[in-house]
Amino acid sequence: MSNTVTRIRLATVAAAAGVAVLAGCSSPAPSDKASAASCTPAKGKVTLQYWNTVPGMDKVVALWNEKNPNIQVQTKNISNDQYGTLGNALKAGKAPELAQVGYDELPSLRTQNAFVDVSACSAATAAKSKFVPWTWSQTSFGGTGVFALPQDTGPMALYVRSDIFKKHGLQIPKTWDEYASDAQKLHKADPELSITFFDPNNAEWFNGLLWQNNAEMYQYSGDKWHVTVASEQSKQVAEYWQKLIAGKLVRTDLANGSTQMYAAYQKDQIASYVGAAWGYSMFRDNLPKQAGKWTIVPMPTWGTNGASGDWGGSTVAFMKGNKHLYESVKFNTWLNTDPEALALENKLGGLYPAANDGLKLPALSKGVPYYNNEKIFDVFADSSRNIDTNFAWGPTQKTVNLALQDAMAKATAGDGTLGDALSAAQESALKSMKDQAIPAAAGK
């Protein structure tokens, strides 16, 4: 949805400032292990601070406060400068007990001691079974602790203008090879028609494509990060899109969620969209006259590999200095697993839940009128189940994303290739880690 797009854009811009601020309070190794005593319930009334960027979250928190007079929560919306605000608070020792943090920001903040490990709280470790597996692996860093609870996700799928496909006698593509073939057929039939667009300034979207192809960009072992941003799997994805760009089969002049993007779809110049679950309302709200013309299907696959990718999503992290772990775990678990809370978050904030039960919400099991009353969320639920749980983000991900975007923009302008962009991102990852004294080496 549009406000989610805004949040992703703001997070990208703000992260560099936030990381720079946090660097001043970093130390070489995280010391985030909580003691068992710290998970003892408080004897009196407790007030927790929860900072986030989600529209309507104040109403969700009000529901909790109504039912829990002894554990009150105050919420603060920091969407204007998410990581800058959080970074300044951490530096000043005034961080909230809980804060919304994107999956890709977790490793960066953890290396700078921004979190506390709440695995001493039995309720926190017991929550593992409540979430889609890949999301839990992100928040627990492969089982080394519990630093956050998953909140929402962005499982990816293919949005198709079924009327345009039907007009040109095309079947829904099941593989990326079929998708490329359809791109050629569409463009040959109508030079003004492209199958989709490639946004060179959207590294998060591109990372989702890499994720789908099991392109593990980072691995942590032997006390160091192994950087494989430019792996063979990543290169396969880059070469694929490079061919589409070189053949002028996809647009490269549009930004996701922009007025220009919607105008191109409105003029029937683009026939599909590779997007995430939260994007379903983008077309519904901005292109109402195209109701009934869209369908949502699984992402094309790489051969017989049925894996999918993720674009976006956040967690609710336990922040450094939190002295009320028991109460924080209790609220955080309710916030991200209780059906009533999840339904309200989906209705008001458009969150696509990371909790297993969240995928069964009544609102997500109904047909959506704009999409011919098709049960589109079944597609996203299947996508979520097919996301690689081993994928990990690096500790300097935002710096790497900026380097990737810069090189992708050059490539789409004819200066280099997307393969070169991967190499530039790999170099940026290694340099940024070295600059912060984070042990790293180029992987295979």
Side-chain angles (χ1 to χ4, degrees), residues 147-191:
F147 304 90
L149 293 187
Q151 183 165 76
D152 70 310
T153 66
M156 299 177 76
L158 181 66
Y159 294 62
V160 175
R161 273 288 300 273
S162 50
D163 59 326
I164 294 178
F165 269 60
K166 183 177 180 180
K167 176 182 177 181
H168 294 283
L170 301 178
Q171 298 296 313
I172 298 296
K174 295 190 181 330
T175 68
W176 284 113
D177 283 344
E178 291 177 2
Y179 190 71
S181 177
D182 286 346
Q184 291 177 327
K185 292 175 183 176
L186 283 174
H187 200 61
K188 184 177 181 180
D190 181 357

Side-chain angles (χ1 to χ4, degrees), residues 171-244:
Q171 298 296 313
I172 298 296
K174 295 190 181 330
T175 68
W176 284 113
D177 283 344
E178 291 177 2
Y179 190 71
S181 177
D182 286 346
Q184 291 177 327
K185 292 175 183 176
L186 283 174
H187 200 61
K188 184 177 181 180
D190 181 357
E192 297 298 315
L193 179 61
S194 300
I195 195 163
T196 193
F197 68 97
F198 182 96
D199 181 357
N201 294 308
N202 199 324
E204 290 87 354
W205 172 79
F206 190 69
N207 288 336
L209 299 178
L210 300 182
W211 192 338
Q212 185 205 18
N213 199 30
N214 300 118
E216 295 181 14
M217 301 168 73
Y218 308 89
Q219 294 178 338
Y220 188 83
S221 64
D223 295 326
K224 71 169 59 173
W225 287 91
H226 300 271
V227 182
T228 53
V229 175
S231 67
E232 290 305 312
Q233 293 91 334
S234 294
K235 291 176 182 177
Q236 182 182 12
V237 176
E239 289 169 2
Y240 175 87
W241 287 93
Q242 184 64 49
K243 288 180 181 178
L244 292 180

Side-chain angles (χ1 to χ4, degrees), residues 245-257:
I245 292 169
K248 300 188 183 304
L249 301 178
V250 296
R251 296 273 293 270
T252 59
D253 60 336
L254 303 173
N256 188 71

Side-chain angles (χ1 to χ4, degrees), residues 64-80:
W64 164 269
N65 287 338
E66 239 179 79
K67 300 179 178 182
N68 298 272
N70 291 326
I71 306 176
Q72 292 290 285
V73 179
Q74 295 178 348
T75 183
K76 177 180 179 180
N77 190 294
I78 56 172
S79 57
N80 286 335

Side-chain angles (χ1 to χ4, degrees), residues 13-34:
V13 173
V19 170
V21 169
L22 284 171
C25 61
S26 65
S27 59
S31 56
D32 38 28
K33 199 71 175 176

Side-chain angles (χ1 to χ4, degrees), residues 262-273:
Y262 292 120
Y265 280 109
Q266 188 172 15
K267 295 175 182 176
D268 296 341
Q269 294 174 346
I270 306 179
S272 70
Y273 173 77

